[in-house]
Amino acid sequence: MSIRDVLSPFTAWKNLFREPVTIKDPLNDRPGSARYRGFHQNDLEKCIGCGTCEAICQNGAIDMLPVEGIPATQGDSGLRPRIDYGRCCWCALCVDVCMTASLSMSNEYKWVEIDPDKFLYMPGVDKKPWDDSKLGYRRHEEKHLTPGERIEMPELHPEQRMDSFVEMVKGYDIAQAQLEADRCVSCGLCIATCPAHMSIPQYIKAVREGDYDLGVQLLYETNPFSQVCGRVCTHRCEDSCAARHEGDPIAIRWLKRHIIDQVPQERVLELIGKPAAPTGRKVAIIGAGPAGLTAAFDLARKGHAVTVFEAQAAGGGMTRYGIPEYRLPYDALDKDIAVITAMGVDIKYNHRVGRDISMQQLENDYDAVVMAIGLHLGRSTRIPGSDHPQVRKAVDLLRQITAGEEVDVPKSMVVIGGGNVAMDIARSMARLQLQQYGNINITLTALEDRVHFLADPVEVKESLEEQIDIRDSRGPRECVFDDSGKLVGLKTWKVLSIFDEEHRFAPKYDEADEQVHEGEMVVEAIGQMADVSILGDELTERLDWNRGRIQIDHDGRTSEAWLWSAGDCVKGPDVINAVADGHRVAASIDSVFAQQEVTA
């Protein structure tokens, strides 16, 4: 034994009068570190109920439940997370994945309760002492689990596309599509926003896994116009995408297009399968647009015999005769229509109801009739001079261009309107100007300011890239003519406001701010309406109407038991809404047939 060993007990006496370093009350006097992962917090105003926290939790410790006073709205499921601390392991993955950064963890780690059920609670809903704690674990502001920027869609540069109607968007390749699909957290908020309620997270997962056969099957469960919607859908689903809270929304529309581009047409038909056995029921559909042909597709697959009457020489409705080919190539549209006719649907082109066959004949010869006639007539501003031959409707010009008819191309032109149709006709005529004259001279005037244009922002951006002169907040006052009566332009005033206090359309102008825009032609693109003259006077009188549109019930049935109506003519212009409408009326008609079978 050494001398140190002998003396060591006595050396401890020197600590006798020191302050103790132990904590007298460790339960209350021992806070967690500043970024300690303690009990959860949730900012209910930031939270959108996307459920990514529930999906990522490996322990099943999070459930999404409804909360009283928080309704489901576009982009918010109305659900909020409930944490089960019997399962939670405090890994904080739920915080890291939270798309809105609403979920966090306080540095409080002490919670004493006798009742074990108390440890199931909803942060932010069930009030706790740590709700307002500033310390704890937060999602890193810059390091996210998913990339914030979407994969850029390859497309032709303005100088390559300005004089051509060749499709400007090239589409993702497989590597690009899979990278974009990897950004999706499968929250499902997009499904509720999509009018057709497509299985969006599921088909994005199919892209991620390279299972394009499954992707096609998922698309055709709800949308026989996947070629079309993959290119020109208004993609409101992306407005609800959880990813937009930390960057760009997922490119849902482009991923839909990618799937359908990967699978040959023959394989698409194999995957969809054959229609059911014939039922003996006959349905007539007026109009071969998205609503009419979607209804035809559904009804034919049920085994009903479907005949479509189309006034034009080809199908597609306004998707063909209203959308330029540089946005929607006609061969893509034709592929969608070919899938529908493969189900046995008979389309009679150049058959105008009211001329080649009457509504009375349709009522007599068919068990049900669907009117899906679209909006093929343009509205007029009715300003002085708008009845001049060189004041044209956008829908008429677009139809001429599609049909390959000769178009009078002016050296200068003014377009009135701020929607997609206005952008489409301005860009189409600009291409024709460039081909014929070598330069572009087109002015677009709109009542709205640029921020509130009805056109998709990308359409506005591309119009500017293609040298369209956009003048916002300009109200048309009159067409201007020279001494010989030739149209030379459009006079506009500065718009001060568009609606009055009760939100009625009542524009106010600054008359002192007057401009004259040069134009040998003026094109009105301020809205469209349906040509209901096909109904005839007797049926028009019998039907119920609602503010100029045929009145229908929730299922699209009119006041005449044999007649349904769907699509743009009742809901306004939108491809995916028309598809949803087609599904709705088809389901209604099939249900009526089934009821009749039961009661027969």
Side-chain angles (χ1 to χ4, degrees):
M1 180 181 293
S2 67
I3 188 67
R4 176 175 293 183
D5 293 334
V6 174
L7 297 177
S8 60
F10 299 99
T11 62
W13 286 97
K14 66 181 180 181
N15 297 316
L16 180 64
F17 300 104
R18 288 186 177 180
E19 283 289 324
V21 295
T22 57
I23 299 172
K24 293 182 179 180
D25 188 354
L27 289 179
N28 297 302
D29 298 340
R30 192 178 178 183
S33 62
R35 280 179 53 80
Y36 194 83
R37 298 197 297 266
F39 300 118
H40 290 75
Q41 301 164 304
N42 192 23
D43 186 332
L44 296 183
E45 293 185 2
K46 286 185 178 179
C47 182
I48 57 174
C50 65
T52 52
C53 52
E54 179 186 38
I56 204 170
C57 181
Q58 301 298 301
N59 299 321
I62 300 179
D63 295 303
M64 300 301 294
L65 301 175
V67 175
E68 186 177 351
I70 301 180
T73 58
Q74 179 175 323
D76 187 337
S77 70
L79 307 177
R80 296 296 182 264
R82 184 189 69 177
I83 315 295
D84 181 351
Y85 284 108
R87 292 175 175 270
C88 179
C89 68
W90 283 268
C91 66
L93 278 175
C94 55
V95 176
D96 289 335
V97 81
C98 180
M99 306 300 281
T100 63
S102 71
L103 200 61
S104 59
M105 301 176 84
S106 70
N107 72 333
E108 181 61 65
Y109 64 97
K110 304 179 299 293
W111 184 7
V112 179
E113 294 281 356
I114 296 175
D115 183 0
D117 290 338
K118 293 287 183 65
F119 297 107
L120 274 82
Y121 91 109
M122 300 183 77
V125 177
D126 303 323
K127 300 302 180 184
K128 298 297 176 186
W130 54 81
D131 283 347
D132 298 323
S133 172
K134 303 300 181 185
L135 300 178
Y137 188 80
R138 305 287 187 269
R139 190 184 73 164
H140 197 286
E141 292 183 1
E142 297 178 3
K143 296 179 181 178
H144 298 165
L145 294 185
T146 56
E149 294 184 1
R150 70 165 57 182
I151 302 300
E152 186 176 354
M153 169 58 72
E155 62 178 47
L156 297 176
H157 294 293
E159 59 272 15
Q160 296 174 303
R161 68 183 192 240
M162 284 167 56
D163 62 348
S164 168
F165 283 83
V166 172
E167 184 176 20
M168 55 182 287
V169 174
K170 297 180 179 180
Y172 285 143
D173 61 28
I174 290 175
Q176 290 169 326
Q178 289 181 343
L179 283 172
E180 182 62 19
D182 279 341
R183 299 179 56 235
C184 177
V185 294
S186 300
C187 69
L189 291 176
C190 46
I191 299 175
T193 307
C194 174
H197 303 306
M198 298 188 72
S199 303
I200 297 169
Q202 289 78 15
Y203 72 65
I204 291 178
K205 181 181 178 183
V207 173
R208 191 160 53 238
E209 297 177 350
D211 191 347
Y212 292 109
D213 280 1
L214 175 60
V216 165
Q217 290 172 321
L218 290 167
L219 293 182
Y220 276 92
E221 283 178 358
T222 49
N223 192 348
F225 277 89
S226 294
Q227 290 273 2
V228 170
C229 287
R231 288 167 166 82
V232 298
C233 181
T234 47
H235 55 97
R236 299 303 178 208
C237 52
E238 295 180 17
D239 293 340
S240 299
C241 179
R244 69 187 175 89
H245 292 279
E246 61 176 22
D248 298 325
I250 308 301
I252 297 172
R253 174 176 60 177
W254 299 140
L255 291 175
K256 179 166 39 248
R257 170 188 170 162
H258 173 75
I259 292 172
I260 206 69
D261 282 351
Q262 304 310 304
V263 182
Q265 184 81 349
E266 299 76 19
R267 181 59 179 156
V268 170
L269 294 174
E270 290 176 13
L271 292 167
I272 294 171
K274 302 293 184 182
T279 64
R281 295 286 189 167
K282 295 167 57 181
V283 181
I285 295 177
I286 309 168
L293 290 184
T294 297
F297 179 74
D298 287 358
L299 290 165
R301 294 186 81 185
K302 294 284 188 180
H304 308 309
V306 182
T307 303
V308 180
F309 296 89
E310 170 56 51
Q312 301 295 333
M318 289 303 291
T319 56
R320 183 184 298 273
Y321 293 100
I323 300 177
E325 195 170 16
Y326 58 81
R327 290 180 58 205
L328 176 60
Y330 302 139
D331 62 343
L333 174 56
D334 289 337
K335 287 180 181 178
D336 278 342
I337 296 173
V339 170
I340 293 164
T341 56
M343 294 298 107
V345 174
D346 179 22
I347 306 178
K348 296 187 180 297
Y349 294 115
N350 296 309
H351 271 65
R352 179 178 171 82
V353 174
R355 181 191 66 196
D356 302 303
I357 188 170
S358 69
M359 292 294 291
Q360 183 65 55
Q361 285 177 273
L362 296 179
E363 180 185 358
N364 294 338
D365 296 346
Y366 293 87
D367 299 299
V369 179
V370 179
M371 192 168 75
I373 58 175
L375 299 171
H376 288 268
L377 299 179
R379 295 187 180 277
S380 174
T381 57
R382 298 183 180 179
I383 59 175
S386 60
D387 55 351
H388 190 274
Q390 284 300 96
V391 178
R392 303 291 305 278
K393 303 291 189 300
V395 290
D396 296 335
L397 278 173
L398 287 169
R399 188 181 302 113
Q400 280 184 265
I401 294 170
T402 294
E405 299 175 7
E406 186 175 346
V407 177
D408 178 18
V409 181
K411 291 184 177 180
S412 59
M413 191 179 85
V414 184
V415 177
I416 304 172
N420 284 338
V421 174
M423 303 297 160
D424 285 345
I425 192 57
R427 297 172 66 187
S428 295
M429 293 299 286
R431 281 162 166 75
L432 297 178
Q433 276 188 346
L434 200 56
Q435 291 172 4
Q436 188 162 332
Y437 304 115
N439 68 290
I440 295 171
N441 187 356
I442 293 181
T443 303
L444 185 147
T445 69
L447 286 175
E448 300 84 6
D449 60 69
R450 190 80 58 84
V451 175
H452 295 97
F453 272 14
L454 297 179
D456 291 343
V458 68
E459 277 252 47
V460 179
K461 170 181 172 290
E462 290 168 355
S463 296
L464 291 168
E465 290 174 348
E466 294 171 11
Q467 300 180 19
I468 305 300
D469 181 13
I470 296 179
R471 305 291 182 90
D472 62 347
S473 300
R474 305 301 307 179
R477 301 310 304 158
E478 63 176 311
C479 296
V480 180
F481 303 90
D482 64 14
D483 294 338
S484 66
K486 179 184 176 182
L487 180 65
V488 295
L490 176 74
K491 181 187 293 184
T492 65
W493 288 345
K494 173 73 173 178
V495 176
L496 299 177
S497 64
I498 299 176
F499 301 98
D500 63 16
E501 293 78 7
E502 297 180 4
H503 303 288
R504 294 175 299 195
F505 183 73
K508 293 182 180 179
Y509 305 100
D510 179 1
E511 299 180 21
D513 188 343
E514 181 177 284
Q515 294 180 8
V516 175
H517 313 284
E518 178 189 6
E520 297 177 355
M521 178 186 287
V522 172
V523 179
E524 296 176 311
I526 62 165
Q528 298 136 251
M529 57 186 178
D531 181 5
V532 295
S533 64
I534 68 168
L535 295 170
D537 294 340
E538 183 183 345
L539 181 56
T540 300
E541 186 65 29
R542 293 202 325 255
L543 285 167
D544 292 339
W545 295 80
N546 181 19
R547 306 177 84 174
R549 290 182 177 176
I550 297 175
Q551 186 167 307
I552 57 172
D553 65 15
H554 178 267
D555 296 321
R557 203 172 190 180
T558 71
S559 55
E560 292 290 302
W562 54 275
L563 181 64
W564 281 255
S565 188
D568 293 359
C569 65
V570 293
K571 291 290 182 67
D574 184 15
V575 175
I576 191 63
N577 264 303
V579 168
D581 245 22
H583 288 311
R584 189 177 298 111
V585 297
S588 175
I589 291 169
D590 186 61
S591 176
V592 168
F593 289 167
Q595 291 170 10
Q596 290 172 348
E597 291 291 334
V598 171
T599 57

